[in-house]
Amino acid sequence: MFDQLQKIRQQAGELIPVVMDRQKLNEIRVRFLGKKGEVTRVLRSMGQLSPEERPRLGKKANEIRDYIENLLEQKLALILAREKEEHLQQETLDVTLPGRNIILGHRHPLTQIMNEIKEIFLGMGFEIVEGPEVELDYYNFEALNIPKDHPARDMQDSFYITPEILLRTHTSPVQARVYEARVPEIPVRIIAPGKVYRRDDDATHSPMFQQVEGFLIDRQVSLADLKGTLLAFVRQMFGPDREIRLRPSFFPFTEPSAEVDVSCIMCNGVGCRTCSHTGWLEILGSGMVHPRVLEIAGYDPEQVSGFAFGMGVERIAMLKYGIDDLRLFFENDLRFLKQF
Ligand code: PHE
């Protein structure tokens, strides 16, 4: 058996150095060290030996197993290194290939419109102020001359958090907050952009949308100032040929109140499908700040007056781009968004 082991050692020592692929190497491992391998077989037949000889043979067999394992391991490392080298040599780098395009995104169309609106009013000397989206009933309604149970609340079915706290239904509460904070300072010349929430959901109404509130308080502010400011805005936004008209309307926090229309940007006021053949498109609500609202905040309505307006940003974007479904803005479909 000692001779047998010696022979195994010699054979392995000759075979392993000449093998140069992984599969053959594995076959050699199986042949010598596998479950039915030659070294294993010798160890199994140790029972035939005398008890004195057994440990000696066991020791020898272990030595030879270690020796073979060692050889196999070194060889495997060598083979792997060679494979890697070959792989690297085959890999070529073509430095003349064109580079990969980096796709640059751009701002969401609503953000673009919002930025345009802000720029126009900043250019006219307005200041930007933001208010909370989770608002007190007091600022959203009461301070704007809309008492509890006033029918005007029905127009703006709301998301209440508690009976006194809700998601604001318009940006007008920023008026109330600013008046309260700045009284008796004049002039106040502010726009308040931001998100508002209502229980509406269809092609032209989303439960979340954006508004820009604008308001100006000073001595002797008139309806002419409101109209002039809005005309200047509309012409910068929609083009120098646009006209506007004011239609009587009602808001509890303005008196008088007016709905503002812009001459249709599709047909130039002639009449088409977009403007339902009227020549006009409604873009915002406005009016002279109600004396009651000024009074609640602490201003003296005999001394100062002001105008206010509120426009829907999505609506402006739909008119400017001729989009008929508001939901497109919120679906994040790149085929839509990439057009702007
Ligand atoms: N807050 C009103 C709305 O959301 C719009 C508005 C603002 C009207 C300011 C008049 C003055 O419908």
Side-chain angles (χ1 to χ4, degrees), residues 156 169-172 175 198 211 213 251 253-254 285-287 308-310:
Q156 304 189 351
T169 57
H170 50 177
T171 43
S172 301
Q175 283 189 54
R198 290 184 197 175
Q211 286 188 333
E213 191 86 3
F251 299 101
F253 38 94
T254 45
S286 67
F309 58 85

PDB file of all heavy atoms in Angstrom, residues 156 169-172 175 198 211 213 251 253-254 285-287 308-310, ligand 1:
ATOM      1  N   GLN A 156     -66.580  75.470  -3.399  1.00  0.00           N
ATOM      2  CA  GLN A 156     -65.232  74.962  -3.184  1.00  0.00           C
ATOM      3  C   GLN A 156     -65.263  73.811  -2.185  1.00  0.00           C
ATOM      4  O   GLN A 156     -64.718  73.897  -1.105  1.00  0.00           O
ATOM      5  CB  GLN A 156     -64.332  76.078  -2.649  1.00  0.00           C
ATOM      6  CG  GLN A 156     -64.319  77.284  -3.555  1.00  0.00           C
ATOM      7  CD  GLN A 156     -63.282  78.299  -3.159  1.00  0.00           C
ATOM      8  OE1 GLN A 156     -62.664  78.182  -2.099  1.00  0.00           O
ATOM      9  NE2 GLN A 156     -63.068  79.282  -3.992  1.00  0.00           N
ATOM     10  N   THR A 169     -58.418  75.814  -0.458  1.00  0.00           N
ATOM     11  CA  THR A 169     -59.156  75.622  -1.703  1.00  0.00           C
ATOM     12  C   THR A 169     -58.776  76.668  -2.743  1.00  0.00           C
ATOM     13  O   THR A 169     -59.178  76.580  -3.890  1.00  0.00           O
ATOM     14  CB  THR A 169     -60.667  75.731  -1.453  1.00  0.00           C
ATOM     15  OG1 THR A 169     -60.938  77.010  -0.869  1.00  0.00           O
ATOM     16  CG2 THR A 169     -61.127  74.638  -0.498  1.00  0.00           C
ATOM     17  N   HIS A 170     -58.011  77.675  -2.310  1.00  0.00           N
ATOM     18  CA  HIS A 170     -57.527  78.716  -3.221  1.00  0.00           C
ATOM     19  C   HIS A 170     -56.327  79.392  -2.567  1.00  0.00           C
ATOM     20  O   HIS A 170     -56.005  79.099  -1.409  1.00  0.00           O
ATOM     21  CB  HIS A 170     -58.632  79.731  -3.569  1.00  0.00           C
ATOM     22  CG  HIS A 170     -59.374  80.314  -2.398  1.00  0.00           C
ATOM     23  ND1 HIS A 170     -60.344  81.280  -2.531  1.00  0.00           N
ATOM     24  CD2 HIS A 170     -59.284  80.080  -1.060  1.00  0.00           C
ATOM     25  CE1 HIS A 170     -60.831  81.603  -1.343  1.00  0.00           C
ATOM     26  NE2 HIS A 170     -60.199  80.888  -0.438  1.00  0.00           N
ATOM     27  N   THR A 171     -55.645  80.266  -3.310  1.00  0.00           N
ATOM     28  CA  THR A 171     -54.499  80.953  -2.717  1.00  0.00           C
ATOM     29  C   THR A 171     -54.916  82.255  -2.027  1.00  0.00           C
ATOM     30  O   THR A 171     -54.079  82.939  -1.435  1.00  0.00           O
ATOM     31  CB  THR A 171     -53.421  81.252  -3.789  1.00  0.00           C
ATOM     32  OG1 THR A 171     -54.065  81.722  -4.977  1.00  0.00           O
ATOM     33  CG2 THR A 171     -52.609  80.004  -4.111  1.00  0.00           C
ATOM     34  N   SER A 172     -56.198  82.570  -2.062  1.00  0.00           N
ATOM     35  CA  SER A 172     -56.656  83.818  -1.437  1.00  0.00           C
ATOM     36  C   SER A 172     -56.341  83.923   0.072  1.00  0.00           C
ATOM     37  O   SER A 172     -56.159  85.049   0.561  1.00  0.00           O
ATOM     38  CB  SER A 172     -58.149  84.024  -1.687  1.00  0.00           C
ATOM     39  OG  SER A 172     -58.406  84.080  -3.080  1.00  0.00           O
ATOM     40  N   GLN A 175     -53.719  86.299   0.944  1.00  0.00           N
ATOM     41  CA  GLN A 175     -54.107  87.720   1.093  1.00  0.00           C
ATOM     42  C   GLN A 175     -54.348  88.036   2.564  1.00  0.00           C
ATOM     43  O   GLN A 175     -53.770  88.974   3.116  1.00  0.00           O
ATOM     44  CB  GLN A 175     -55.420  88.011   0.359  1.00  0.00           C
ATOM     45  CG  GLN A 175     -55.344  88.152  -1.139  1.00  0.00           C
ATOM     46  CD  GLN A 175     -56.695  88.652  -1.673  1.00  0.00           C
ATOM     47  OE1 GLN A 175     -57.216  89.677  -1.229  1.00  0.00           O
ATOM     48  NE2 GLN A 175     -57.245  87.937  -2.638  1.00  0.00           N
ATOM     49  N   ARG A 198     -59.267  70.806  -4.257  1.00  0.00           N
ATOM     50  CA  ARG A 198     -60.725  70.803  -4.249  1.00  0.00           C
ATOM     51  C   ARG A 198     -61.237  69.420  -4.613  1.00  0.00           C
ATOM     52  O   ARG A 198     -60.554  68.676  -5.316  1.00  0.00           O
ATOM     53  CB  ARG A 198     -61.281  71.806  -5.280  1.00  0.00           C
ATOM     54  CG  ARG A 198     -61.040  73.237  -4.875  1.00  0.00           C
ATOM     55  CD  ARG A 198     -61.683  74.202  -5.849  1.00  0.00           C
ATOM     56  NE  ARG A 198     -61.095  75.527  -5.650  1.00  0.00           N
ATOM     57  CZ  ARG A 198     -61.365  76.584  -6.392  1.00  0.00           C
ATOM     58  NH1 ARG A 198     -62.234  76.487  -7.377  1.00  0.00           N
ATOM     59  NH2 ARG A 198     -60.787  77.744  -6.156  1.00  0.00           N
ATOM     60  N   GLN A 211     -52.456  77.734  -8.348  1.00  0.00           N
ATOM     61  CA  GLN A 211     -52.964  79.080  -8.620  1.00  0.00           C
ATOM     62  C   GLN A 211     -51.853  80.103  -8.401  1.00  0.00           C
ATOM     63  O   GLN A 211     -50.869  79.829  -7.715  1.00  0.00           O
ATOM     64  CB  GLN A 211     -54.111  79.426  -7.664  1.00  0.00           C
ATOM     65  CG  GLN A 211     -55.428  78.720  -7.967  1.00  0.00           C
ATOM     66  CD  GLN A 211     -56.563  79.260  -7.110  1.00  0.00           C
ATOM     67  OE1 GLN A 211     -56.339  79.759  -5.997  1.00  0.00           O
ATOM     68  NE2 GLN A 211     -57.786  79.167  -7.604  1.00  0.00           N
ATOM     69  N   GLU A 213     -52.107  83.902  -6.946  1.00  0.00           N
ATOM     70  CA  GLU A 213     -52.901  84.996  -6.414  1.00  0.00           C
ATOM     71  C   GLU A 213     -52.097  86.271  -6.619  1.00  0.00           C
ATOM     72  O   GLU A 213     -50.871  86.246  -6.532  1.00  0.00           O
ATOM     73  CB  GLU A 213     -53.099  84.763  -4.900  1.00  0.00           C
ATOM     74  CG  GLU A 213     -54.119  85.666  -4.256  1.00  0.00           C
ATOM     75  CD  GLU A 213     -55.521  85.088  -4.393  1.00  0.00           C
ATOM     76  OE1 GLU A 213     -55.656  83.973  -4.925  1.00  0.00           O
ATOM     77  OE2 GLU A 213     -56.477  85.757  -3.968  1.00  0.00           O
ATOM     78  N   PHE A 251     -67.479  87.324  -5.934  1.00  0.00           N
ATOM     79  CA  PHE A 251     -66.672  86.644  -4.913  1.00  0.00           C
ATOM     80  C   PHE A 251     -66.928  87.384  -3.613  1.00  0.00           C
ATOM     81  O   PHE A 251     -67.008  88.621  -3.620  1.00  0.00           O
ATOM     82  CB  PHE A 251     -65.175  86.705  -5.249  1.00  0.00           C
ATOM     83  CG  PHE A 251     -64.821  86.042  -6.556  1.00  0.00           C
ATOM     84  CD1 PHE A 251     -64.594  86.806  -7.703  1.00  0.00           C
ATOM     85  CD2 PHE A 251     -64.722  84.658  -6.653  1.00  0.00           C
ATOM     86  CE1 PHE A 251     -64.285  86.204  -8.917  1.00  0.00           C
ATOM     87  CE2 PHE A 251     -64.399  84.049  -7.860  1.00  0.00           C
ATOM     88  CZ  PHE A 251     -64.184  84.820  -8.997  1.00  0.00           C
ATOM     89  N   PHE A 253     -65.062  88.103  -1.286  1.00  0.00           N
ATOM     90  CA  PHE A 253     -63.940  88.914  -0.796  1.00  0.00           C
ATOM     91  C   PHE A 253     -63.545  90.027  -1.747  1.00  0.00           C
ATOM     92  O   PHE A 253     -62.536  90.707  -1.532  1.00  0.00           O
ATOM     93  CB  PHE A 253     -62.730  88.017  -0.483  1.00  0.00           C
ATOM     94  CG  PHE A 253     -62.547  86.883  -1.477  1.00  0.00           C
ATOM     95  CD1 PHE A 253     -61.704  87.024  -2.564  1.00  0.00           C
ATOM     96  CD2 PHE A 253     -63.242  85.694  -1.306  1.00  0.00           C
ATOM     97  CE1 PHE A 253     -61.545  85.988  -3.470  1.00  0.00           C
ATOM     98  CE2 PHE A 253     -63.089  84.642  -2.222  1.00  0.00           C
ATOM     99  CZ  PHE A 253     -62.242  84.788  -3.300  1.00  0.00           C
ATOM    100  N   THR A 254     -64.323  90.208  -2.842  1.00  0.00           N
ATOM    101  CA  THR A 254     -64.072  91.356  -3.718  1.00  0.00           C
ATOM    102  C   THR A 254     -65.399  92.037  -4.041  1.00  0.00           C
ATOM    103  O   THR A 254     -66.437  91.407  -4.113  1.00  0.00           O
ATOM    104  CB  THR A 254     -63.393  90.924  -5.045  1.00  0.00           C
ATOM    105  OG1 THR A 254     -64.052  89.782  -5.564  1.00  0.00           O
ATOM    106  CG2 THR A 254     -61.917  90.619  -4.842  1.00  0.00           C
ATOM    107  N   GLY A 285     -60.304  85.014 -12.012  1.00  0.00           N
ATOM    108  CA  GLY A 285     -61.292  85.769 -11.243  1.00  0.00           C
ATOM    109  C   GLY A 285     -60.582  86.923 -10.553  1.00  0.00           C
ATOM    110  O   GLY A 285     -59.413  86.826 -10.196  1.00  0.00           O
ATOM    111  N   SER A 286     -61.316  88.033 -10.372  1.00  0.00           N
ATOM    112  CA  SER A 286     -60.637  89.202  -9.807  1.00  0.00           C
ATOM    113  C   SER A 286     -61.654  90.169  -9.207  1.00  0.00           C
ATOM    114  O   SER A 286     -62.861  89.914  -9.232  1.00  0.00           O
ATOM    115  CB  SER A 286     -59.866  89.924 -10.917  1.00  0.00           C
ATOM    116  OG  SER A 286     -60.789  90.471 -11.844  1.00  0.00           O
ATOM    117  N   GLY A 287     -61.161  91.267  -8.704  1.00  0.00           N
ATOM    118  CA  GLY A 287     -62.056  92.292  -8.186  1.00  0.00           C
ATOM    119  C   GLY A 287     -61.319  93.270  -7.294  1.00  0.00           C
ATOM    120  O   GLY A 287     -60.105  93.173  -7.119  1.00  0.00           O
ATOM    121  N   ALA A 308     -57.417  92.465  -6.360  1.00  0.00           N
ATOM    122  CA  ALA A 308     -56.901  91.115  -6.204  1.00  0.00           C
ATOM    123  C   ALA A 308     -57.361  90.270  -7.376  1.00  0.00           C
ATOM    124  O   ALA A 308     -58.389  90.558  -8.006  1.00  0.00           O
ATOM    125  CB  ALA A 308     -57.387  90.503  -4.890  1.00  0.00           C
ATOM    126  N   PHE A 309     -56.564  89.275  -7.689  1.00  0.00           N
ATOM    127  CA  PHE A 309     -56.986  88.328  -8.732  1.00  0.00           C
ATOM    128  C   PHE A 309     -56.395  86.960  -8.417  1.00  0.00           C
ATOM    129  O   PHE A 309     -55.465  86.844  -7.623  1.00  0.00           O
ATOM    130  CB  PHE A 309     -56.522  88.805 -10.121  1.00  0.00           C
ATOM    131  CG  PHE A 309     -55.024  89.000 -10.226  1.00  0.00           C
ATOM    132  CD1 PHE A 309     -54.187  87.933 -10.517  1.00  0.00           C
ATOM    133  CD2 PHE A 309     -54.474  90.258 -10.014  1.00  0.00           C
ATOM    134  CE1 PHE A 309     -52.813  88.134 -10.599  1.00  0.00           C
ATOM    135  CE2 PHE A 309     -53.100  90.459 -10.095  1.00  0.00           C
ATOM    136  CZ  PHE A 309     -52.262  89.389 -10.385  1.00  0.00           C
ATOM    137  N   GLY A 310     -57.002  85.938  -9.005  1.00  0.00           N
ATOM    138  CA  GLY A 310     -56.483  84.589  -8.820  1.00  0.00           C
ATOM    139  C   GLY A 310     -56.629  83.818 -10.121  1.00  0.00           C
ATOM    140  O   GLY A 310     -57.706  83.764 -10.699  1.00  0.00           O
TER     141      GLY A 310
HETATM  142  N1  PHE B   1     -59.934  82.733  -5.084  1.00  0.00           N
HETATM  143  C1  PHE B   1     -60.785  82.788  -6.246  1.00  0.00           C
HETATM  144  C2  PHE B   1     -60.990  81.375  -6.778  1.00  0.00           C
HETATM  145  O1  PHE B   1     -60.210  80.511  -6.454  1.00  0.00           O
HETATM  146  C3  PHE B   1     -60.201  83.642  -7.327  1.00  0.00           C
HETATM  147  C4  PHE B   1     -60.077  85.080  -6.936  1.00  0.00           C
HETATM  148  C5  PHE B   1     -58.930  85.549  -6.339  1.00  0.00           C
HETATM  149  C6  PHE B   1     -61.121  85.968  -7.184  1.00  0.00           C
HETATM  150  C7  PHE B   1     -58.821  86.891  -5.997  1.00  0.00           C
HETATM  151  C8  PHE B   1     -61.013  87.289  -6.841  1.00  0.00           C
HETATM  152  C9  PHE B   1     -59.894  87.769  -6.260  1.00  0.00           C
HETATM  153  O2  PHE B   1     -61.934  81.102  -7.499  1.00  0.00           O
END
